[in-house]
Amino acid sequence: MEKEVLKTQNLSKKYSSSFAVKDCSITIKQGQIYGLVGKNGAGKTTLMRLICGQSKQTSGNLYLFGDNSKKSLIESRTKIGCMIETPSFYPDLSAKKNLMIYSMKKGIPIDNRIDEILEFVGLSDVKEKTFSKFSLGMKERLGIAIALLGNPEFLVLDEPTNGLDPVGIAEIRKLILRLNEEKNITVLLSSHILKEMSMIATHYGFIDKGKIIKELSREELMEKCREALLIEVNNPQSACVILEQFCDCKNYQIISDRLIKCYDNVDHPEQINQELVENGISVYSLSSMGKDLEDYFIELLEEGEENA
Ligand code: ADP
């Protein structure tokens, strides 16, 4: 079984009167790319700060690499590389010099690793260029380079693609995948865009108003967003009885007073249509659809509202 890199149990952080993170319980195992997905203000950064030791929890437990004693957490955090908000750089110094300064600040010996890291993040050609001339994507990659200085086993990246153009986003994605696959680094990253996350994450934690509202694997997410039939009828309640009795459809949702989303038997819309019509239901339309990831995200948030 894969080792647990991170486990939180009812982790909470309260700022004056309100909770930024509340009763958060998540588990990240070695080798995973865990995507923390939530709207702005949901609590992603706060949770990452707690994990990286930049902020102290109000209550709850946090385990890193299986241990939660004060001493082991200090030790474990040396194995974490984090980029929470863009680090500050000296604008008139080169990328390499900036990296050397960060190395010194972290007490890491300056050796060949700096060149190696610059190579890995794709900045070796521009390592002597002054930081102020860097594009946003290059700055982001330099931020990741800093996080890599201590040779981490676990990388925590807060919105690493925020503000980048599609090419920049794809480059960062490729870099994170390489770090995961080639260096076996476990990754926790955040985004407010599920679609973007879905191209990289192996596991997901959805956070809203400081609470984890859902945790699921890539396979489970794909299953949730699987194909469905959208059936428009005069009487959805009666239609669903027929779907169950005659069409072997157990998974469906009534989504309005005319619409049903049915997840079973999607390859046989003609049979479903025939059964409904023969049993007295007027079928106005029937179409196939795959659920959009962002729709799923919005639905999750709405369910959270209803259960709040
Ligand atoms: P996200 O990263 O998902 O955008 P944050 O973790 O930054 O969300 O913020 C979660 C909530 O906590 C927000 O309502 C934010 O205003 C609040 N918050 C974050 N940091 C502080 C702080 N230092 N003091 C008070 N409130 C804070």
Side-chain angles (χ1 to χ4, degrees):
M1 218 176 70
E2 302 297 347
K3 275 193 300 185
E4 279 176 4
V5 171
L6 168 82
K7 186 157 105 175
T8 68
Q9 286 176 327
N10 298 106
L11 201 66
S12 298
K13 175 73 186 179
K14 195 174 181 186
Y15 287 116
S16 54
S17 61
S18 57
F19 282 93
V21 166
K22 186 145 175 34
D23 291 331
C24 167
S25 300
I26 62 169
T27 302
I28 302 180
K29 292 192 175 160
Q30 194 176 27
Q32 290 183 350
I33 299 181
Y34 190 103
L36 194 58
V37 184
K39 293 185 296 192
N40 289 333
K44 304 182 293 297
T45 308
T46 306
L47 178 57
M48 287 178 152
R49 283 194 192 289
L50 295 175
I51 293 166
C52 296
Q54 295 180 1
S55 168
K56 194 162 170 18
Q57 69 252 42
T58 310
S59 58
N61 281 317
L62 180 123
Y63 295 79
L64 286 169
F65 303 98
D67 214 328
N68 77 335
S69 69
K70 204 172 168 184
K71 190 166 167 252
S72 78
L73 285 178
I74 293 170
E75 169 66 26
S76 293
R77 285 193 173 113
T78 63
K79 296 191 258 178
I80 302 182
C82 59
M83 184 175 74
I84 298 176
E85 288 174 358
T86 316
S88 48
F89 294 99
Y90 293 98
D92 299 327
L93 295 184
S94 69
K96 186 169 177 178
K97 288 236 167 71
N98 266 295
L99 217 49
M100 286 161 80
I101 289 169
Y102 264 97
S103 241
M104 286 191 288
K105 278 188 191 164
K106 289 183 168 200
I108 299 163
I110 297 169
D111 54 20
N112 297 341
R113 266 191 57 74
I114 290 197
D115 282 323
E116 238 175 75
I117 291 171
L118 284 165
E119 172 84 45
F120 201 91
V121 300
L123 292 177
S124 60
D125 289 350
V126 290
K127 63 185 175 192
E128 303 302 343
K129 195 169 173 161
T130 47
F131 177 78
S132 59
K133 300 206 173 96
F134 267 28
S135 69
L136 202 56
M138 285 151 90
K139 287 177 182 170
E140 210 64 27
R141 276 184 278 153
L142 193 59
I144 295 177
I146 289 174
L148 293 174
L149 279 171
N151 210 5
E153 291 177 37
F154 182 33
L155 206 51
V156 178
L157 306 173
D158 190 15
E159 302 254 8
T161 53
N162 206 9
L164 299 184
D165 60 22
V167 175
I169 292 173
E171 280 171 358
I172 296 288
R173 195 189 305 136
K174 234 192 294 178
L175 173 59
I176 294 170
L177 281 171
R178 279 187 63 211
L179 287 164
N180 177 253
E181 283 164 12
E182 294 175 27
K183 298 197 180 288
N184 200 22
I185 297 178
T186 307
V187 185
L188 165 63
L189 72 160
S190 65
S191 177
H192 56 281
I193 305 167
L194 175 58
K195 201 163 192 164
E196 223 169 74
M197 196 67 103
S198 73
M199 297 187 202
I200 183 166
T202 59
H203 293 78
Y204 299 82
F206 290 91
I207 185 167
D208 189 41
K209 300 193 185 85
K211 289 188 183 167
I212 296 291
I213 50 171
K214 189 102 186 164
E215 246 193 322
L216 74 188
S217 68
R218 174 193 282 157
E219 291 72 27
E220 286 166 328
L221 177 67
M222 291 308 135
E223 174 69 12
K224 298 269 182 209
C225 296
R226 73 189 190 273
E227 275 229 299
L229 281 177
L230 196 60
I231 311 168
E232 190 180 4
V233 292
N234 60 333
N235 186 338
Q237 272 77 17
S238 307
C240 285
V241 175
I242 292 152
L243 284 178
E244 284 202 30
Q245 282 187 354
F246 300 106
C247 308
D248 203 22
C249 296
K250 303 274 182 288
N251 297 297
Y252 57 78
Q253 241 181 323
I254 297 176
I255 55 173
S256 77
D257 58 357
R258 275 168 81 106
L259 281 175
I260 305 167
K261 227 185 224 181
C262 174
Y263 300 101
D264 295 330
N265 249 336
V266 288
D267 295 336
H268 297 289
E270 74 295 344
Q271 284 175 9
I272 288 180
N273 183 46
Q274 192 179 337
E275 291 294 351
L276 289 173
V277 171
E278 281 178 4
N279 284 283
I281 303 289
S282 301
V283 179
Y284 303 124
S285 69
L286 209 151
S287 54
S288 296
M289 58 174 292
K291 193 190 310 199
D292 183 80
L293 286 169
E294 295 307 324
D295 285 348
Y296 174 69
F297 181 27
I298 292 164
E299 271 174 34
L300 266 185
L301 296 180
E302 285 170 355
E303 273 171 32
E305 293 283 329
E306 279 165 24
N307 300 331

